[in-house]
Amino acid sequence: MKHIVLAAVFGMLIPVSASAADTPVAPNGIALYPNYMSWRVIAPSYREDRGNIRIITGNETAVAALHAGKNPLPDGSVLAKAAWKSKSHPDFPVATVPGDFVQVEFMVKDAKKYAETGGWGFARFLGNELKPYGKDASFVHECFECHTPVAKNDYLFTHMVKTP
Amino acid sequence: MKHIVLAAVFGMLIPVSASAADTPVAPNGIALYPNYMSWRVIAPSYREDRGNIRIITGNETAVAALHAGKNPLPDGSVLAKAAWKSKSHPDFPVATVPGDFVQVEFMVKDAKKYAETGGWGFARFLGNELKPYGKDASFVHECFECHTPVAKNDYLFTHMVKTP
């Protein structure tokens, strides 16, 4: 009887477990933030060398801190950078617009937990499968190295766009 | 005495009136939507010919309709397109990022009110002064003419970016 009750309980839990299992997790334990496209936009960006057009968004903590000019950003700040293959607009070729999805990257602020990499945890998820980048947790050194030239801006390349 | 009371009342109202008067209004009566940067992002875009990098955002009605694949968009939909002069990132020159603010444009859906221009009302506000574009209400014909090639997409150049 105990087993039947337990089976029923586990049966009820399955949809929740399956849903949690669907969220990709980077080798350093950072899971994809599924709501990044509903966060406020921080800036657009275009990388001609890769042919990628990007949007950087931030959660409420990050956006409020950036608007307030805080540096470094407080713990709990998360930034997302989503990239698409750029293409010419079929009806207006002088405009470069997003095509296929390339990847989404996150920077997660926790000064203590990620002390070795400027207080930031990094994660990248590739393609439509959102495949976690990196063979093991050491992949973050590659991310951090690239962000070192902007250490003075709390390791962020992105600045909040200015509007009147 | 009556005059003194009225003066006091008007005196109290001045800050409110001044605030309302600060919102720029296009010659066709469309006032700037001050919260457009807190709306959800629809897409980034880059115009090499003008050297402008842009973000297109939409209010809740517009974003929900675009996600649902609606065409035409329902009344109440508003899209904003903000443009910045593009520049190379000072610490990472292969990245093109936003510099000075150029303008913000709006498309406001009201199928009946704006029947002559595809159901869309247009407005543009220029520079840090957010100066309304157009000498009189006829400026919308210029906007509409440019959007005619995308009539099949409800006169929108912008498509919702695809994410997995």
Side-chain angles (χ1 to χ4, degrees), chain A residues 37-38 40-41 44-49 55 84 89 91-92 94-96 98 101 128 152 157 161-164, chain B residues 37-38 40-41 44-49 55 84 89 91-92 94-96 98 101 128 152 157 161-162 164:
Chain A
M37 281 299 288
S38 67
R40 285 195 192 196
V41 66
S45 155
Y46 174 59
R47 266 188 77 166
E48 208 172 343
D49 61 331
I55 293 171
W84 293 265
H89 193 296
D91 297 305
F92 192 56
V94 292
T96 299
F101 178 81
N128 284 318
K152 64 182 183 301
F157 285 103
V161 285
K162 289 189 182 93
T163 51
Chain B
M37 281 299 288
S38 67
R40 284 197 192 195
V41 66
S45 154
Y46 175 57
R47 267 188 77 166
E48 209 173 343
D49 60 332
I55 293 170
W84 293 266
H89 193 296
D91 298 306
F92 193 55
V94 292
T96 299
F101 179 80
N128 284 318
K152 63 182 183 302
F157 285 104
V161 285
K162 290 189 181 93

Side-chain angles (χ1 to χ4, degrees), chain A residues 7-41:
Chain A
V9 168
F10 278 105
M12 285 165 66
L13 287 174
I14 282 168
V16 176
S17 310
S19 168
D22 281 348
T23 302
V25 180
N28 58 348
I30 295 178
L32 183 134
Y33 290 80
N35 298 325
Y36 69 90
M37 281 299 288
S38 67
W39 294 349
R40 285 195 192 196
V41 66

Side-chain angles (χ1 to χ4, degrees), chain A residues 100-119:
Chain A
D100 292 337
F101 178 81
V102 174
Q103 63 181 26
V104 59
E105 297 166 301
F106 296 95
M107 286 178 71
V108 181
K109 194 61 176 280
D110 186 326
K112 201 172 169 183
K113 188 171 181 182
Y114 305 118
E116 281 184 28
T117 48

Side-chain angles (χ1 to χ4, degrees), chain B residues 26 28 30-31 104-107 121-125 133 139-140 143:
Chain B
N28 58 349
I30 295 178
V104 59
E105 297 164 301
F106 295 94
M107 286 178 70
F122 295 84
R124 177 187 284 161
F125 302 93
Y133 179 82
F139 81 94
V140 297
C143 310

Side-chain angles (χ1 to χ4, degrees), chain A:
Chain A
M1 181 61 193
K2 210 177 194 177
H3 287 288
I4 292 164
V5 171
L6 274 174
V9 168
F10 278 105
M12 285 165 66
L13 287 174
I14 282 168
V16 176
S17 310
S19 168
D22 281 348
T23 302
V25 180
N28 58 348
I30 295 178
L32 183 134
Y33 290 80
N35 298 325
Y36 69 90
M37 281 299 288
S38 67
W39 294 349
R40 285 195 192 196
V41 66
I42 295 172
S45 155
Y46 174 59
R47 266 188 77 166
E48 208 172 343
D49 61 331
R50 298 223 171 143
N52 285 354
I53 191 160
R54 293 109 54 98
I55 293 171
I56 297 94
T57 63
N59 70 356
E60 281 186 32
T61 306
V63 169
L66 288 168
H67 272 301
K70 286 187 184 167
N71 179 356
L73 266 63
D75 281 5
S77 298
V78 185
L79 278 80
K81 185 187 276 175
W84 293 265
K85 211 71 199 162
S86 62
K87 63 175 188 181
S88 286
H89 193 296
D91 297 305
F92 192 56
V94 292
T96 299
V97 296
D100 292 337
F101 178 81
V102 174
Q103 63 181 26
V104 59
E105 297 166 301
F106 296 95
M107 286 178 71
V108 181
K109 194 61 176 280
D110 186 326
K112 201 172 169 183
K113 188 171 181 182
Y114 305 118
E116 281 184 28
T117 48
W120 290 103
F122 294 84
R124 176 187 285 161
F125 303 93
L126 299 165
N128 284 318
E129 302 77 27
L130 295 166
K131 193 185 166 192
Y133 179 83
K135 285 182 184 171
D136 54 49
S138 71
F139 81 93
V140 297
H141 297 298
E142 186 192 328
C143 309
F144 184 58
E145 213 165 281
C146 190
H147 280 257
T148 303
V150 284
K152 64 182 183 301
N153 191 43
D154 195 22
Y155 301 93
L156 299 174
F157 285 103
T158 304
H159 296 265
M160 175 66 75
V161 285
K162 289 189 182 93
T163 51

